[in-house]
Each structure stands twice: as C-alpha cells, then as structure tokens.
C-alpha cells in the first residue's frame, strides 16, 4: 500500500514522467556530441580587429552561408569573444578542410572594371548560376547576372571599343603599393590589354580604379620604399627579394609577399596577386550601347578536381556576398574519429564509476542500502533527464558540458544528504513521525538546497553570459542539472526517503 501511495505521489509521478520522456527524447532525436568527442576539425578564424555584436553576427551568418553552399554537412560556426570565430566541421578530408579555409579567407569584395572605371560591385550581382567545367581543358566558368543599372553603365563605357579589356577582381589590394620585378612590370604592361593595344595598361587601370601604384624594384633603400608606401594600406611584394618583408614590417608597414607556385607563370602570378579574373575582351556585339546583364568569371586549373574546387569557391563567394571585415585563418585543430570514440568510452566509464563510488560512499556513511540505492537512482535519473533535454534542444555535448553534468550530480548528492540527515535527525531526536515535524525539517532542508542552488545558478549564469566556447557548455549543463534537481528530482527523493525511513521505523 505504501509503495502504491508513493507511486501515486505527484512528485514521484512527475519524476517518472520526465525520465520516460527523456528516454523517448534521446531515442527520437539522439545525442549531439561536440568535436572533442565525435572527432572532426576546428578552424580558428581571427577578425582583423575586435567588432561589435552586430558585425560579429553578420560575419558568422556570411561564413555559415558560404560553408553551407559548399555542400558540407554538420558545420557549426560559433563566435569566440569579439575577435575570433571557431568553425567546427565533422569528419571530412584534408582537401575539404583546405577548401573551407580558402572559402573563409576570401573577403569576397567584387569589382568589375573597364578602362579604370568600376561599373559593377558585389551589390550589383543579382544571381549566380551553376558553374561548369570544360572536361578537356579543365577551364571553369562561373556565370552570373548583374543589375540592369550596372549593365547600362558598362554599355556606355564600352561604346565603340571592341577588343578592349574588361577586368573582374575579387579582393584586390586596394590602396596599395606593388613592388615588382622588371620582368613582372613588362608583363603587366604588355600582356593584359586583350586585343586593344591602345587601351590603358594594367598598371594604369588599377591605379585609376583602386589607387594601386606599381613600382619596379631596383634596389631602392628601405627609406625610399617607406616613402613610396606613405598613405598606403599595404605593400605587395611580387617576385622581388622576400627579405624586404621583415625590414618593412619593422618600420610599421603592412606587407604581403606573393610567392610563385610550382610551374606558375609570371602572368598567373600577377592575376593571383591582384585577385584578377581576366582580362576579357569586349566582343563587337557589346559595343553598340546595348546593355547585357549576363557575365561570367573564368579560369583554368591543372586538373579537374582543382578546377571544381576553385569554381565552387568563386561561386560561393559571389553568391554569399562580401564579409564586412577581413578575416584570417589562425589555426586548425584536428581530432580523429577514433580518438573521439575513445573519449566517449572513457566518459561513459567515468560516469558509471562516479555513480558507483558515490553509492559506496553513501552506504559507508549511513550503512543503509535503502538510502544508498535511492541516492544513486535519483542521480542517475537526473543524468537521464539532462541528456533528454540536451537531445531535445540539440545541445552539443562536449567535454566541458559533460563535466557540468558531473558537477550537477555532485551538487545533487550533497543536497540529498542534507534531506536524509534532516529525516534521520527527526527520527533520532523527536522519536516521532508527526507530519508537522517532518514538514518542518523538510522545509529547513529545502531552504538550504534552494539557497545553494541559487548561488550556483547565479554564478554559472555569469559564466554562460560573458564567457565563450567550452565554458558555456559547462555552465549550461550545470544550471540545467541544478534546475532539474530542485524542481523534479530532489522533491521526489524527499518523498521516497521519507517513505523508506518511516517504513523501517514501524
């Protein structure tokens, strides 16, 4: 009869409902494990400078859109303070990670230029179409549509200028000084005019469009170069002595060194340095003042895989728009799936061991199995409910989150001991089980429990609000465990313990 009454007690009934519901939630939605348990890659991204929350949200959204467009599943982009972002990717190949890093680092500022005049920017891109690759030459094409206004602007600029070069740039080094070799300069002057020798040369076009000065390096002194770079944002070294970098940086000059790749021609080196796609020659049909909105960026690669990867990145960057601030990939951390499985097994073993040890300690203290078993069972039910809620809201269970669960269990056991001691104290001192006396002691026990829970929740709330990364997981699961404890498991345990202890006395 006692047990029947206990099962019908609303506090115990509530605990059973939550445990059953949590099992259903875990089965239906499954647990989501963090990178440190499931294995994968974490890419640390640094923003050029600290930003406000609004800018951080824009960067996170833009990066998320870009990576999603690459067709990669299970990607998480999380802000880390006001200057860092962590991109977490589940198990993918090294080539895929390289593609993600290249996609991230593309700021994505697009310009279309003709004779030094910018006639379209990223804001004029209306739609990006599916890219295609020529299987025989590995030449790729990314077609897209620009606005009618930009198309009309280009039609006016290109009027009666067939064969003139049209350039498209992605992240050019705006307001910079290019320090180049004589050979590189000659190529820039002679080989970028498409079919119109009378057109402006490439150095002239980029000077007019982006305030990029091109200077031939002829062993000028550091002072002379610093003077040339005055009021510039950047110095780009193309095919010249790379040792200049350290000397210029020691003078407070930002420097970018463009190194020649294997089998890379001077022409390719220049296009890489400028983020230039083209130049394209203006066809006869486009020089009669008719606006054309469909354009494309093309390029070529040494094999079909690289062609597909490059076309995909360009397509994604054009479609997702530019980032509001420059970002850099600071580092990559790789955790193998096998190591993650080991972590998971170790965590499971540690959790079971912790519960058993807690049960043994409680038994050693009270010498009563009817106390030790309910304490362990209540703690176990608390873990199940926490995991059920985590599964329901798709919370990432990483190692700090699991540490938070263990911390919540420890707090819970402490509070159950407080309840037990109050009940035993009632038996020893008063030798009565009057309902009023028990309620009084329970009230005292729950006052202590609520005070303890409040301080824990307040402390963890600050951690959750003002800290980022794994510590938030620790704070979240600790708060969740404490709330579940004071609202569900602790009241149920009090009823169970009250029944078991009073039953023995009779």
């Amino acid at each position: 009869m006692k047990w029947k009454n206990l099962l019908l007690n609303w506090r115990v009934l509530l605990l059973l409902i939550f445990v059953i519901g949590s099992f259903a939630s875990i089965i239906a939605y499954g647990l989501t494990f963090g990178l440190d348990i499931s294995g994968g890659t974490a890419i640390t991204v640094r923003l050029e400078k600290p930003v406000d929350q609004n800018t951080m949200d824009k960067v996170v959204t833009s990066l998320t859109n870009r990576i999603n467009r690459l067709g990669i599943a299970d990607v998480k982009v999380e802000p880390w303070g006001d200057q860092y972002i962590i991109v977490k990717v589940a198990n993918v190949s090294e080539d895929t990670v390289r593609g993600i890093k290249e996609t991230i680092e593309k700021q994505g500022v697009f310009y279309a230029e003709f004779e030094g005049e910018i006639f379209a920017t990223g804001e004029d891109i209306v739609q990006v179409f599916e890219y295609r690759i020529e299987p025989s030459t590995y030449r790729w094409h990314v077609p897209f549509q620009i606005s009618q206004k930009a198309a009309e602007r280009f039609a006016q600029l290109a009027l009666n200028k067939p064969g003139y070069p049209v350039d498209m740039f992605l992240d050019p080094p705006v307001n910079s000084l290019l320090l180049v070799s004589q050979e590189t300069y000659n190529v820039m002057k002679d080989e970028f005019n498409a079919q119109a020798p009378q057109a402006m040369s490439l150095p002239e076009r980029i000077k007019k469009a982006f305030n990029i000065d091109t200077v031939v390096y002829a062993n000028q002194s550091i002072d002379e170069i610093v003077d040339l770079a005055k009021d510039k944002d950047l110095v780009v070294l193309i095919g010249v002595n790379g040792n200049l970098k350290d000397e210029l940086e020691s003078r407070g000059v930002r420097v970018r060194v463009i190194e020649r790749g294997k089998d890379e021609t001077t022409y390719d080196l220049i296009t890489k340095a400028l983020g230039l796609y083209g130049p394209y020659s203006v066809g006869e049909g486009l020089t009669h003042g008719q606006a054309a909105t469909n354009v494309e960026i093309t390029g070529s690669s040494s094999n079909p895989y690289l062609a597909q990867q490059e076309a995909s990145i360009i397509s994604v960057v054009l479609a997702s728009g530019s980032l509001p601030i420059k970002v850099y990939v600071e580092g990559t951390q790789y955790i193998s799936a096998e190591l993650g499985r080991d972590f998971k097994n170790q965590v499971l073993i540690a959790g079971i061991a912790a519960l058993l040890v807690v049960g043994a300690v409680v038994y050693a203290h009270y010498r009563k199995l009817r106390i030790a078993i309910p304490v362990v069972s209540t703690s176990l039910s608390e873990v199940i409910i926490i995991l059920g809620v985590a599964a329901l809201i798709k919370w990432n269970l990483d190692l700090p989150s699991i540490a938070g669960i263990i911390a919540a269990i420890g707090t819970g056991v402490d509070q159950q001991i407080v309840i037990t001691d109050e009940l035993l104290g009632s038996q020893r001192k008063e030798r009565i089980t009057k309902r009023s006396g028990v309620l009084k002691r329970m009230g005292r026990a729950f006052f202590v429990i609520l005070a303890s829970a409040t301080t824990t929740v307040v402390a963890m709330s600050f951690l959750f609000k003002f800290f980022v990364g794994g510590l938030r997981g620790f704070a979240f699961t600790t708060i969740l465990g404490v709330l579940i404890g004071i609202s569900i498991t602790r009241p149920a345990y009090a009823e169970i313990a009250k029944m078991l202890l009073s039953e023995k006395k009779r």
Side-chain angles (χ1 to χ4, degrees):
M1 192 65 181
K2 276 274 184 183
W3 285 99
K4 184 179 177 182
N5 289 338
L6 181 65
L7 289 175
L8 291 177
N9 183 288
W10 70 269
R11 295 179 179 87
V12 178
L13 206 55
L14 185 66
L15 173 64
L16 291 175
I17 291 171
F18 267 87
V19 170
I20 294 170
S22 297
F23 269 122
S25 172
I26 294 169
I27 293 169
Y29 301 107
L31 296 173
T32 305
F33 291 103
L35 203 68
D36 44 8
I37 293 178
S38 61
T41 304
I43 302 171
T44 304
V45 179
R46 180 176 63 84
L47 278 60
E48 190 172 29
K49 60 183 180 182
V51 297
D52 57 24
Q53 189 61 45
N54 187 40
T55 305
M56 178 61 81
D57 290 343
K58 288 180 181 176
V59 176
V60 169
T61 302
S62 183
L63 290 182
T64 303
N65 289 338
R66 285 186 180 191
I67 298 172
N68 285 340
R69 284 173 181 272
L70 291 175
I72 300 168
D74 200 7
V75 178
K76 292 183 175 59
V77 182
E78 299 173 351
W80 186 286
D82 59 2
Q83 199 176 0
Y84 288 89
I85 291 172
I86 306 297
V87 178
K88 298 178 180 177
V89 192
N91 300 300
V92 292
S93 67
E94 289 185 14
D95 287 338
T96 303
V97 172
R98 187 164 52 247
I100 293 172
K101 289 161 70 176
E102 290 179 8
T103 305
I104 289 172
E105 287 195 310
K106 290 276 187 189
Q107 190 176 2
V109 180
F110 170 78
Y111 299 97
E113 172 270 329
F114 181 85
E115 287 290 271
E117 299 285 346
I118 296 171
F119 62 88
T121 65
E123 294 180 354
D124 293 305
I125 296 176
V126 176
Q127 185 178 4
V128 179
F129 302 106
E130 187 69 26
Y131 64 82
R132 68 179 192 281
I133 299 169
E134 297 176 20
S136 57
T137 61
Y138 311 137
R139 190 166 183 78
W140 51 262
H141 305 258
V142 181
F144 58 98
Q145 185 180 31
I146 59 175
S147 66
Q148 183 67 25
K149 186 178 176 183
E152 290 173 355
R153 200 155 49 227
F154 172 71
Q156 292 300 315
L157 291 170
L159 188 64
N160 299 322
K161 292 181 179 176
Y164 271 58
V166 181
D167 304 313
M168 296 193 188
F169 295 87
L170 205 55
D171 302 334
V174 176
N175 192 34
S176 63
L177 170 69
L178 303 188
L179 211 55
V180 303
S181 66
Q182 184 65 56
E183 179 207 357
T184 304
Y185 185 76
N186 292 341
V187 174
M188 291 178 75
K189 281 204 65 169
D190 301 335
E191 298 185 21
F192 282 84
N193 274 28
Q195 300 171 23
Q198 70 278 24
M200 295 172 69
S201 67
L202 179 61
E204 292 172 325
R205 300 201 298 270
I206 59 178
K207 169 63 179 174
K208 185 177 179 181
F210 306 115
N211 195 29
I212 299 175
D213 290 325
T214 307
V215 174
V216 175
Y217 177 61
N219 294 320
Q220 293 96 329
S221 68
I222 291 298
D223 288 336
E224 288 174 316
I225 297 173
V226 170
D227 190 52
L228 289 170
K230 187 179 179 183
D231 298 327
K232 296 293 185 185
D233 295 332
L234 180 70
V235 171
V236 184
L237 305 179
I238 307 175
V240 299
N241 180 11
N243 294 330
L244 285 173
K245 180 176 185 289
D246 294 337
E247 296 181 63
L248 288 170
E249 285 182 339
S250 68
R251 302 286 293 271
V253 178
R254 280 184 61 214
V255 181
R256 181 184 300 167
V257 179
I258 307 299
E259 297 179 348
R260 188 186 296 268
K262 186 181 179 183
D263 300 328
E264 195 171 51
T265 65
T266 301
Y267 187 97
D268 294 335
L269 186 66
I270 294 167
T271 58
K272 182 171 71 176
L274 293 174
L276 169 61
Y277 297 87
Y280 306 103
S281 178
V282 178
E284 177 71 28
L286 296 174
T287 61
H288 303 305
Q290 298 294 321
T293 56
N294 290 331
V295 294
E296 68 176 20
I297 286 180
T298 64
S300 58
S301 301
S302 56
N303 62 60
Y305 176 76
L306 290 178
Q308 183 173 9
Q309 190 177 40
E310 192 164 357
S312 172
I313 291 171
I314 297 297
S315 174
V316 165
V317 171
L318 289 177
S320 61
S322 61
L323 295 172
I325 189 170
K326 184 72 177 170
V327 299
Y328 306 91
V329 172
E330 284 284 288
T332 305
Q333 181 188 13
Y334 175 74
I335 299 174
S336 72
E338 187 176 348
L339 188 61
R341 279 194 295 274
D342 288 344
F343 280 152
K344 199 185 298 182
N345 292 335
Q346 288 170 8
V347 165
L348 182 62
I349 292 170
I352 294 173
L355 280 174
L356 292 177
V357 170
V358 165
V361 170
V362 172
Y363 176 75
H365 180 68
Y366 292 107
R367 299 290 177 184
K368 298 176 191 297
L369 275 176
R370 63 178 179 280
I371 294 178
I373 291 175
V375 167
V376 173
S377 302
T378 306
S379 298
L380 181 61
S381 66
E382 200 166 303
V383 173
I384 293 168
I385 296 173
I386 293 173
L387 294 179
V389 174
L392 187 65
I393 64 174
K394 296 288 180 189
W395 183 262
N396 238 4
L397 286 171
D398 50 15
L399 289 178
S401 297
I402 291 172
I405 294 174
I406 293 173
I409 291 172
T411 307
V413 171
D414 286 346
Q415 294 170 355
Q416 288 173 70
I417 288 174
V418 170
I419 295 170
T420 307
D421 283 348
E422 287 293 336
L423 287 171
L424 290 174
S426 171
Q427 289 181 327
R428 284 195 296 266
K429 294 178 181 177
E430 298 176 8
R431 297 292 178 189
I432 55 173
T433 55
K434 288 182 179 177
R435 183 173 176 79
S436 59
V438 173
L439 288 177
K440 187 177 178 183
R441 286 187 168 272
M442 284 298 95
R444 197 158 55 206
F446 273 92
F447 176 77
V448 174
I449 290 170
L450 284 173
S452 169
T454 302
T455 55
T456 303
V457 169
V458 169
M460 289 296 117
S461 297
F462 280 100
L463 193 65
F464 185 80
K465 173 68 178 174
F466 297 108
F467 284 77
V468 293
L471 288 177
R472 297 191 74 194
F474 177 80
F476 175 78
T477 49
T478 303
I479 293 172
L480 183 62
V482 169
L483 293 178
I484 290 171
I486 60 173
S487 59
I488 301 171
T489 56
R490 238 63 86 219
Y493 172 77
E495 294 298 326
I496 295 170
K498 198 163 59 181
M499 189 276 285
L500 289 174
L501 294 176
S502 64
E503 187 178 59
K504 176 65 181 173
K505 187 184 173 191
R506 290 184 180 190

